Amino acid sequence: MENFAEHLLKKVSNMTRTSDRKEAARQLAIYLGVEDLIIFIVDPAVSVVLPAPGFPQTLPGGRAWRSFLSDCAKTGQFSAQLITPGRSEPGSVYGVAAEDGSILVLIGGSPIGELVTVVKQLLPLLAAAYHGELAAQNEASQARLAKTAAEQSRQLINSFDSARRELQKTLQMRDQFLSIAAHELKTPLTSILGFTQVLLRRAEKEKLLGERDLHLVKIVINQANRMQKLMEDFLNQDRMQAGLFVLDMADMDLVELVRETIDELQPSLDKHVVQHYTGGFESLPVRGDRLRLHLVVQNLLHNAVKYSLEGGEVIVRTWQENGRACLSVSDLGIGIPPEELSRLFERFYRASNAQKHHLGGIGIGLFLTREIINGHGGTIEMESIESQGSTFRVCLPLGTAGI
Ligand code: ADP
């Protein structure tokens, strides 16, 4: 018997080898007087009895096996007729549950009782070894997963990089195209505008046209003006991108500039009224590039008009505070969705509601406005409530020179 037990221990310890487990199991089974055996262990994560690693992981007629295993666990030992791996007919199986919940299932033949008792006592040790194997497998599969994830993110970064390069190329092409188009269109547009203005003056002076036709000519001039402004905006930003944007600074009066810009705009308005409040400051000296600051005021006023579809009041204020000359333009228009406020000064950015209402524009005006203001050491801020209106506020360092 001693020899027998030694043999048995050797056979059981063979079961811990990861290779040839099937063969080791068959040898042990024969030793125990049966055809084959399977060991089941408790998966601690889900508290379910599963075949140990190295044994068949799916069993024919899984349901019958599950109820057999549960009967084994409940009663400590149980026998049944089940279809076993590799067989098509049911055969006799005998299960013994160990203290830790693991189960030894002997297939075919009648087991030698005494030996089974010893194996049952050794079962928890075998189960512990199998749990270790499972953990190692999990770690290996986690390492594999991590490797795959790293590979996938590397691929993602690569495709992101090439998408960014493509985008940059497309943006460059767009800029190039717009720049050529603006340059080419500038000359014919200037003559359309110039000649139409001459025509209008002559028609008014010599009473050549009736009211309706005069109105039509004015519309042509307005539209041509808008187009010219758009192109100037674009060419200006093009120069800015190319580093050719130099400010031509001189002493000037902000209040006067604002008045002049409003006066230019007023005749083209029919649904809007622009009110200018000076708060008692009839002049505000600043040092700046008059042409560029004119563009700033013009941009803000044009936007206030353009983005208040129903018409209404546009309020312009000029004042001074803390050594700064300030200007604000407020409208009661479509406003800006809150989540888009931070992007408004980006080049070519247009808010979604502007696009929804099909209001023309290319999203350069505000970008240019901010660049010009920054170039003057000033600040620009905005407040807006969607569907209620917007206020843009610009402040420049107050100049000291006499005007
Ligand atoms: P554009 O008017 O040509 O689109 P801008 O750079 O002047 O370009 O303005 C950028 C975007 O800011 C506009 O497309 C619009 O969505 C939004 N915006 C500017 N001014 C106003 C305003 N007064 N009210 C509502 N939205 C405005």
Side-chain angles (χ1 to χ4, degrees):
M1 185 70 201
E2 211 173 310
N3 199 17
F4 223 62
E6 255 175 47
H7 266 86
L8 178 66
L9 273 179
K10 191 156 181 289
K11 300 257 181 272
V12 172
S13 78
N14 280 347
M15 296 284 291
T16 58
R17 291 200 321 238
T18 47
S19 60
D20 287 343
R21 179 151 307 149
K22 243 170 138 185
E23 183 50 28
R26 219 175 57 82
Q27 294 292 330
L28 176 63
I30 292 169
Y31 211 69
L32 297 175
V34 293
E35 286 170 23
D36 208 349
L37 62 81
I38 303 177
I39 292 176
F40 291 81
I41 55 172
V42 181
D43 181 330
V46 280
S47 293
V48 171
V49 183
L50 299 171
F55 290 97
Q57 297 295 304
T58 49
L59 295 163
R63 227 201 207 157
W65 271 93
R66 268 200 302 281
S67 91
F68 164 72
L69 290 168
S70 123
D71 286 336
C72 286
K74 263 188 243 150
T75 56
Q77 56 182 24
F78 201 76
S79 54
Q81 292 288 314
L82 288 176
I83 302 177
T84 50
R87 302 260 165 91
S88 52
E89 293 298 312
S92 67
V93 291
Y94 170 78
V96 217
E99 267 180 18
D100 68 340
S102 44
I103 296 172
L104 167 70
V105 175
L106 303 166
I107 300 169
S110 46
I112 300 170
E114 234 173 78
L115 292 179
V116 172
T117 312
V118 179
V119 175
K120 186 180 148 183
Q121 277 162 7
L122 294 173
L123 253 187
L125 294 176
L126 277 180
Y130 296 152
H131 277 130
E133 256 178 58
L134 272 183
Q137 265 177 20
N138 278 344
E139 249 172 57
S141 76
Q142 268 169 15
R144 260 201 313 279
L145 271 180
K147 210 172 140 201
T148 319
E151 174 61 21
Q152 277 172 351
S153 63
R154 204 175 51 77
Q155 278 173 6
L156 208 67
I157 289 170
N158 280 349
S159 47
F160 181 69
D161 267 356
S162 68
R164 204 184 47 201
R165 275 197 299 276
E166 276 301 307
L167 184 68
Q168 258 166 0
K169 233 165 61 190
T170 316
L171 289 180
Q172 260 169 14
M173 274 164 65
R174 177 200 62 187
D175 283 3
Q176 232 170 23
F177 167 76
L178 281 175
S179 161
I180 293 169
H183 275 291
E184 291 301 315
L185 291 175
K186 209 177 151 201
T187 319
L189 187 65
T190 309
S191 58
I192 291 174
L193 194 57
F195 289 131
T196 324
Q197 276 162 342
V198 171
L199 196 72
L200 178 66
R201 273 198 297 276
R202 252 203 17 226
E204 278 176 336
K205 206 166 135 202
E206 298 172 21
K207 305 211 182 317
L208 296 175
L209 295 175
E211 269 309 303
R212 253 183 70 205
D213 292 335
L214 278 180
H215 180 66
L216 293 181
V217 178
K218 281 181 190 163
I219 292 177
V220 173
I221 293 176
N222 275 343
Q223 295 300 325
N225 262 325
R226 272 184 57 191
M227 215 161 145
Q228 197 179 41
K229 200 196 130 308
L230 251 172
M231 281 190 290
E232 269 166 20
D233 271 3
F234 188 77
L235 290 173
N236 267 322
Q237 76 83 36
D238 197 36
R239 269 176 230 131
M240 191 175 287
Q241 291 292 108
L244 299 171
F245 197 73
V246 185
L247 294 175
D248 184 10
M249 305 295 262
D251 293 330
M252 52 174 284
D253 179 3
L254 184 66
V255 177
E256 188 207 312
L257 176 76
V258 169
R259 282 203 179 111
E260 189 187 302
T261 320
I262 294 175
D263 287 347
E264 281 164 12
L265 178 71
Q266 207 77 263
S268 63
L269 304 177
D270 48 354
K271 290 191 292 182
H272 296 82
V273 182
V274 182
Q275 304 277 10
H276 180 193
Y277 299 103
T278 57
F281 297 105
E282 289 310 312
S283 84
L284 292 171
V286 289
R287 204 169 157 70
D289 182 325
R290 201 173 196 285
L291 264 179
R292 265 58 187 263
L293 288 181
H294 177 252
L295 199 72
V296 165
V297 182
Q298 209 181 32
N299 274 344
L300 296 179
L301 279 171
H302 275 140
N303 278 351
V305 169
K306 180 161 82 177
Y307 294 110
S308 43
L309 306 170
E310 312 283 314
E313 267 198 344
V314 171
I315 296 187
V316 183
R317 293 179 203 279
T318 41
W319 73 99
Q320 79 172 65
E321 64 175 33
N322 305 327
R324 301 185 311 163
C326 300
L327 147 82
S328 73
V329 179
S330 306
D331 64 65
L332 302 169
I334 62 171
I336 296 143
E339 66 281 7
E340 297 184 51
L341 282 172
S342 62
R343 300 201 54 192
L344 229 57
F345 292 99
E346 283 176 23
R347 204 162 67 111
F348 297 118
Y349 189 79
R350 306 203 67 219
S352 51
N353 56 347
Q355 305 190 50
K356 205 166 64 201
H357 286 105
H358 304 294
L359 294 164
I362 49 174
I364 285 177
L366 280 184
F367 163 77
L368 202 60
T369 299
R370 191 187 56 182
E371 293 298 304
I372 296 172
I373 297 302
N374 284 348
H376 282 77
T379 54
I380 178 161
E381 291 161 3
M382 110 187 104
E383 279 166 26
S384 182
I385 299 178
E386 197 176 0
S387 309
Q388 291 192 25
S390 314
T391 295
F392 287 80
R393 194 178 305 111
V394 166
C395 287
L396 298 167
L398 199 60
T400 47
I403 298 158

